[in-house]
Structure formats: structure tokens, C-alpha cells
């Protein structure tokens, strides 16, 4: 990377990374809902699509009225001055009240809210009443530590119930949380903490992963050396680490001590404006720094609760398991806010799927009688590779709905999921959405939609999606183009924290008045949507978004690296893998040791998920005469394709030398 590289945006990129789209469109298997499923479905009347299209605001107003409890009703459903949206204007609401307190008024008070399993095997069940007590105590602790409405609180923890309690405690008092995925590095933490000027950090001593303790507090300590705004740190004791976790006097407090100090204190939920900032979640884009997507309260609750109920066909006695980490948006919307607002029983698992053996997920499903499973295609492909003998060891007959999210799912994985995990009886709902959208926007309604393996099917009622060409004109059915959304929806991000201009430019300027998702898509002859992957420089590795520019900035910050370019290459399990092409400064040797050092450096800078799978050394990178790195050519080399047009290349010899090196490394 060198400063000023423009964003490359091509549909070929998208199609080539997702494989043969034409073959996809010849997919002719159809799965209509069974008569029994249709009859019992929460939504079974296809007229909902027309009704919502005719009156989208009326549609959401009805959902808001029936699903969410408001302290004060709205004056207007929507104020829309593109791209600025305000939903349920003038209303007052509290997310924690909706996710916890109100369930205490019914028999749900003793319903399991969270069934948690630690990786080493411990179990904890928190009923809604337990959750109420814990959230209140945590809210009281935050207040004592000086957190007030409007402050930002960063949360860096593994998958333990305290992460949910911490989020809800913030929401209760009107503090805005930013959850930072537990795999991110110290530098990634400080970037995020500083960007939103967080006042307090909630973390844990560590967590369990694949049988080993992973330190978290020590990473936070390193991060906080450069975070002047952080005054206090709350530390959950998760691993009982016999080594002493250093606690900084006056700054660090053990969570359990703070909770004990709170006693049985009850903290009234703040009456917050519907547009009060609920959370900031950082996500990768096309520049070197992730952007903090800001989500607000009222619309977000309506959007997530509604879609969670209808797309997963949630019943009161369901046992719902979303396997996503709370550090990503899927965890926010469909492990915490949507399901808890709906009073669901949620399974939460701390560790990896292969510990102690490759049947851990299936053992969790059997043990708790999971009925709804929501996971990522990359996980499904991994399970396929491990073999059907692992699920075969367990009784999975409790399952009735399967969901996927995070990346396009190939039909083979879809069918395997349905047949092997779902016993050929469970609908598979492929749900397309983004950190920015907050809620699912394209997905089947399982009681209505005839499913096609590999297609996310249709936009949710009221959502107007289109596939357009470079000029913003709708393309005919069967043709590829850019996915855009033409109307606002309640859980949409409101802006990028601290950078409203970037928000406008990034999402709303390419096709004025429409939201540009950054994904390629096609509709088939029946109007089904097929998502083709990203068309910009955003990679999707194991369903995690990583910006090529972010990785490139990390690479060039290594003292040996002069220049670097990063591309995604197709990967059987991960969807995409990261390949880095680096040229070294004089005096450094391009060998295996150097490649390893560079990979480790990226791990340090961003986190292990961003480490390139492959590092290639090259004397120079292929560039146009105006000095833009030609990533397309690097991709072609990586995919072993015949090279495209290279007439704009400044030095064609560079290409031959990279190609030779690549082939050499490959063999
Ligand atoms: C929820 C989430 C968003 C990007 C998005 C797209 C890809 C997500 C998908 C899908 C095809 C699906 N994506 N779901 N592609 N089919 N069902 O993943 O958010 O981490 O922000 O990623 O993920 O490319 O643009 P996020």
C-alpha cells in the first residue's frame, strides 16, 4: 500500500471469489415449506410483502407497537432526510428494560434467558430474573465508578455471560458500549478506545480457547498505555489464573468485588430518547482504519426483535443458539438484543467447536435440546470436512430451524447442513445483512418462502433492494450488479462515530439516495437474490470482515517491508484467505523466517484473524503508470488465470517475476 490508492471496485472480483455464479444460477433444487411448518409459522401469509411495500412506515409502526415497550410513544414513525434517519421520533425507551425487566412481569421471570457452557465444561443458567439482578448490580457498579448517560464504555471479553450483562448494564444507564472482539490486538483496542474516547473498560483476566488460557487483561494493559481517556477498568475473574493478574491501584477493580458492593441495589432504567446511541461497533472498510458504526435504540430494537421472531420463527419454548461471538454484529443483534427482547432462551458457548473433540457443537445441541441453530458457512464447511460421523454421534432431532450468516453459502454446504444437521426436515434461512444494516435485510420467511440452496431469497417485507449497474440503473433479471437499498429501515446505522461525512460518502454517494452495500448480487428469473461477495477491497475471511488496506498498513509498518499489496484468494473452508505480496527494503532477506516475522507482526498489529495465510516476496509490485497497484493482476496470478489486459502496466517484467515466484511457492 501507498497512500492515495483508489478503491478498486469490480464485479469480476466478487464473482471470481465466490466461484461459478453461473453454475449457482442453474441450481434447480427447491425446498418449499412443509404443510405443517407453514401452518404453524409465525408469519405464513405472503400478503405481508405487499402490505409492507404499500405502507412501510405503517408496517414498522405496528411491529414497534406490539413488540417493544415504550416509556413514551413516538410523535412520528420516521424522519427521513437521506441519509439521515430518525425512527420513532420523540419516543422514550430503554433496551435493557426491554430485554430484561419487562419479562419479569410474566411467567418468563423464571425462564432461562442464557444457558451458558464454558469450554472446560462448566454450565450456568441465568433466568430472566437472575439477569435482572446481575444487570442492576453491574449498572450500580458502573455508576459508582463515574459512568454517566452518554459516556462510552469499551468491553473486551470472551464469550461469558458477563459480556451480555455488561452490555445491558451500559444500555440501562444510557452509556454507549463498544464491544471489541477478544481476538483483537492491543493496538486495535487502543485505536477503538481512543476513537470513541471511552471512559471505562470492562474486561476479563482471560478466557478459555482450545483447552488453553488466553490472556485478556494483559492485552488491555498494553493498550491502555496509550489511552488517556480511560479512568477505570473492571476485570471479570474468568480463569482463576494462578499467576497474579496485575491490578493497577486506583484504576482496576475486580468485577466480583464491585458486584458484591452493589448488593441488591436496583438502578432505574434511564428513559432514553429513541435515537439515543446504544452502541458503536467498529468494522473494516476500504481504508486503513476501521469505522465505528453507530446504532441507536428504538429502531434497532424494533428491527432486531421483529426479524429475529419472524425469520427464525421463534416459539416460546425454543432453545436458540447463535454461535457468533458477541464481538461481531451478529452477536449484538441476534445473540443479545433481538432474542432477549423477544424473551428467548439463548445458548451461549465459550470455546472452539473442536474441543475436546470435533463433535462439541453437536454435543451442546443434544445436551440442551437446541431447536434453532444460527452459524456461519465457514463453520459448516469445516464440519463437512471433519465428516458426518461427528454429528452422527448425537441426537439432533430437537433442531427445527437452521440459519446462516456472514458470507455467501455454496449450495453443497447448504444441502449438507440441511440433510446432515437438519435431518432433511429443517428449513435453512440464509440471512444477508451487515454491521451497517443492524438487522437482517434479505432472507427467507421459513413458513412462506420456497428455498433455493445458496440464495438468501428475498428482501424482508418493506425492504426495497435492487441490483444496479455503474450508472445506478436496475439491471435485468439474471444479470449481475451492485446491491443497493432504496428505503430506510429501523435498525440501520445512523452514522460513523465522529465522521458523518465519511458515512455519507461511503454508503450514500455512489448511488445518490440509495444505500450502497459494497456487495455484488444477481437476481434470477424468479427474482431470487444471489449474493456474490464484496466488490470493494474488503475481504471476508471465515465470515470476518477484514480491510485489505488495514492489513497493508500493518504490513508496511514492519521495518523490513517497503511496499505491500493484499488480496483475497478463494479458500475451501474460510471462503477467502489472505495473500500478501511484499517488497522488502534493502538489506533484508526474503526467506521463510522473514515471512513468519511479517505474519506475526500483522497478528500483533491487528489480531490473529488478519494474519496473511501466504506471504510472497517480490522486488516490486505491479503498478499502473499512475502508480496504482494492480490488485486484479495479483489475483489473476493467485488464481492461475491467463492474465488480462496488462497494457497499462508500468513495467511488465515485474509481473513475470511475481508470477514465477508465486508458482514456485505454490509447488
Ligand atoms: C452480518 C455480517 C457484512 C458482509 C456483507 C457480505 C457478507 C453477510 C451474507 C453475506 C452473502 C449472506 N455477508 N451475510 N454474503 N450471504 N447471507 O456478517 O456483518 O461482518 O458487517 O459483514 O458479509 O459481503 O457485506 P459484517
Amino acid at each position: 500500500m501507498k497512500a492515495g490508492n483508489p478503491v478498486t471496485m469490480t464485479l469480476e472480483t466478487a464473482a471470481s471469489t465466490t466461484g461459478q455464479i453461473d453454475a449457482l444460477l442453474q441450481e434447480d433444487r427447491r425446498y418449499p415449506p412443509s404443510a405443517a411448518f407453514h401452518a404453524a409459522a409465525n408469519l405464513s401469509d405472503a400478503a405481508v410483502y405487499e402490505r409492507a411495500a404499500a405502507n412501510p412506515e405503517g408496517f414498522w409502526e405496528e411491529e414497534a407497537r406490539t413488540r417493544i415497550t415504550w416509556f413514551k410513544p413516538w410523535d412520528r414513525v420516521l424522519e427521513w432526510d437521506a441519509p439521515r434517519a430518525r425512527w420513532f421520533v420523540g419516543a422514550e425507551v430503554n433496551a435493557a428494560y426491554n430485554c430484561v425487566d419487562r419479562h419479569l412481569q410474566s411467567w418468563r421471570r423464571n425462564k432461562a434467558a442464557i444457558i451458558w457452557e464454558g469450554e472446560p465444561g462448566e454450565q450456568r443458567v441465568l433466568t430472566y430474573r437472575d439477569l435482572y439482578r446481575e444487570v442492576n448490580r453491574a449498572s450500580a457498579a458502573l455508576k459508582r465508578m463515574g459512568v454517566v448517560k452518554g459516556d462510552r464504555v469499551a468491553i473486551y471479553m470472551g464469550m461469558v455471560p458477563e459480556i451480555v450483562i455488561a452490555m445491558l448494564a451500559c444500555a440501562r444507564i444510557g452509556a454507549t458500549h463498544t464491544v471489541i472482539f477478544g481476538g483483537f490486538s492491543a493496538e486495535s483496542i487502543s485505536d477503538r478506545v481512543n476513537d470513541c474516547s471511552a471512559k471505562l473498560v470492562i474486561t476479563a483476566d482471560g478466557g478459555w480457547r482450545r483447552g488453553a488460557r488466553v490472556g485478556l487483561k494483559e492485552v488491555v494493559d498494553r493498550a491502555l498505555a496509550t489511552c488517556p481517556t480511560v479512568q477505570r477498568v473492571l476485570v471479570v475473574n474468568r480463569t482463576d489464573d494462578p499467576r497474579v493478574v496485575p491490578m493497577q491501584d486506583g484504576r482496576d477493580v475486580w468485577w466480583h468485588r464491585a458486584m458484591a458492593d452493589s448488593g441488591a441495589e436496583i438502578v432505574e432504567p434511564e428513559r432514553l430518547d429513541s435515537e439515543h446511541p446504544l452502541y458503536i461497533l467498529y468494522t473494516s472498510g476500504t481504508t486503513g482504519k476501521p469505522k465505528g458504526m453507530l446504532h441507536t435504540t428504538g429502531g434497532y430494537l424494533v428491527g432486531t426483535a421483529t426479524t429475529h421472531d419472524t425469520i427464525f420463527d421463534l416459539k416460546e419454548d425454543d432453545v436458540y443458539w447463535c454461535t457468533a461471538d458477541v464481538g461481531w454484529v451478529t452477536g449484538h443483534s441476534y445473540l443479545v438484543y433481538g432474542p432477549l427482547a423477544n424473551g428467548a432462551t439463548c445458548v451461549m458457548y465459550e470455546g472452539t467447536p473442536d474441543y475436546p473433540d470435533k463433535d462439541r457443537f453437536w454435543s451442546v445441541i443434544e445436551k440442551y435440546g437446541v431447536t434453532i441453530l444460527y452459524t456461519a458457512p465457514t463453520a459448516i464447511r469445516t464440519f463437512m470436512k471433519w465428516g458426518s460421523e461427528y454429528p452422527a454421534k448425537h441426537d439432533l432431532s430437537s433442531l427445527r430451524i437452521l440459519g446462516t450468516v456472514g458470507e455467501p453459502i455454496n449450495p453443497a454446504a447448504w444441502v449438507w447442513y440441511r440433510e446432515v444437521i437438519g435431518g432433511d426436515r429443517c428449513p435453512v434461512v440464509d440471512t444477508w445483512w451487515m454491521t451497517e444494516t443492524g438487522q437482517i435485510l434479505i432472507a427467507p420467511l421459513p413458513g412462506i418462502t420456497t428455498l433455493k440452496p445458496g440464495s438468501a431469497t428475498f428482501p424482508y417485507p418493506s425492504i426495497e433492494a435492487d441490483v444496479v449497474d455503474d450508472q445506478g440503473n436496475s439491471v435485468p433479471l439474471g444479470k449481475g450488479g451492485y446491491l443497493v437499498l432504496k428505503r430506510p429501515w429501523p435498525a440501520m446505522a445512523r452514522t460513523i462515530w465522529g465522521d458523518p461525512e465519511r458515512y455519507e460518502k461511503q454508503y450514500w454517494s455512489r448511488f445518490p439516495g440509495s444505500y450502497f452495500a459494497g456487495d455484488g448480487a444477481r437476481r434470477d428469473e424468479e427474482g431470487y437474490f444471489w449474493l456474490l461477495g464484496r466488490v470493494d477491497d474488503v475481504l471476508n475471511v471465515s465470515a470476518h470482515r477484514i480491510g485489505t488496506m488495514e492489513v497493508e498498513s500493518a504490513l508496511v509498518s514492519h521495518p523490513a517491508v517497503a511496499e505491500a499489496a493484499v488480496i483475497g484468494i478463494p479458500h475451501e473452508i474460510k471462503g477467502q484467505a489472505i495473500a500478501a505480496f511484499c517488497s522488502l527494503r534493502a538489506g533484508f532477506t526474503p526467506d521463510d523466517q522473514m515471512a513468519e516475522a511479517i505474519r506475526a507482526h500483522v497478528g500483533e498489529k491487528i489480531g490473529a484473524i488478519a494474519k496473511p495465510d501466504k506471504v510472497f516476496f517480490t522486488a516490486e509490485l505491479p503498478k499502473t503508470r499512475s502508480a496504482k497497484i494492480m490488485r486484479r493482476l495479483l489475483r489473476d496470478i493467485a488464481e492461475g488465470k491467463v492474465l488480462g489486459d496488462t497494457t497499462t502496466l508500468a513495467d511488465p517484467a515485474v509481473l513475470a517475476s511475481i508470477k514465477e515466484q508465486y508458482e514456485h511457492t505454490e509447488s
Side-chain angles (χ1 to χ4, degrees), residues 559-594:
V561 179
E563 265 197 295
V566 160
I567 58 164
I569 50 178
H571 187 278
E572 198 193 340
I573 302 292
K574 300 177 174 189
Q576 278 188 310
I578 304 178
F581 294 80
C582 301
S583 63
L584 296 184
R585 292 180 197 284
F588 291 96
T589 320
D591 54 15
D592 288 352
Q593 225 177 330
M594 177 61 75

Side-chain angles (χ1 to χ4, degrees), residues 28 64 70 115 226 230 325 340 342 373 430-431 493 509 516 582 584 640 650:
D28 56 6
W70 306 81
I115 299 177
T226 53
V230 174
D325 193 284
L340 295 179
N342 288 334
L373 176 67
D430 174 5
T431 63
S509 69
F516 171 54
C582 301
L584 296 184

Side-chain angles (χ1 to χ4, degrees), residues 283 329-330 404-409 430-436 456 517-519 531 533-534 540 543 545:
T283 190
V329 77
T330 303
T404 77
V405 60
E407 50 176 327
I409 182 163
D430 174 5
T431 63
W432 178 89
W433 60 295
M434 311 171 66
T435 305
E436 291 85 341
D519 278 29
L531 280 307
R534 303 289 307 186
N540 193 329
R545 264 168 82 169

Side-chain angles (χ1 to χ4, degrees), residues 107 209 268:
W107 68 271
R209 212 179 147 70
E268 281 308 307

Side-chain angles (χ1 to χ4, degrees), residues 32-53:
S34 70
F37 195 99
H38 169 79
N42 292 355
L43 246 182
S44 56
D45 181 8
V48 65
Y49 287 102
E50 278 160 43
R51 209 168 6 98

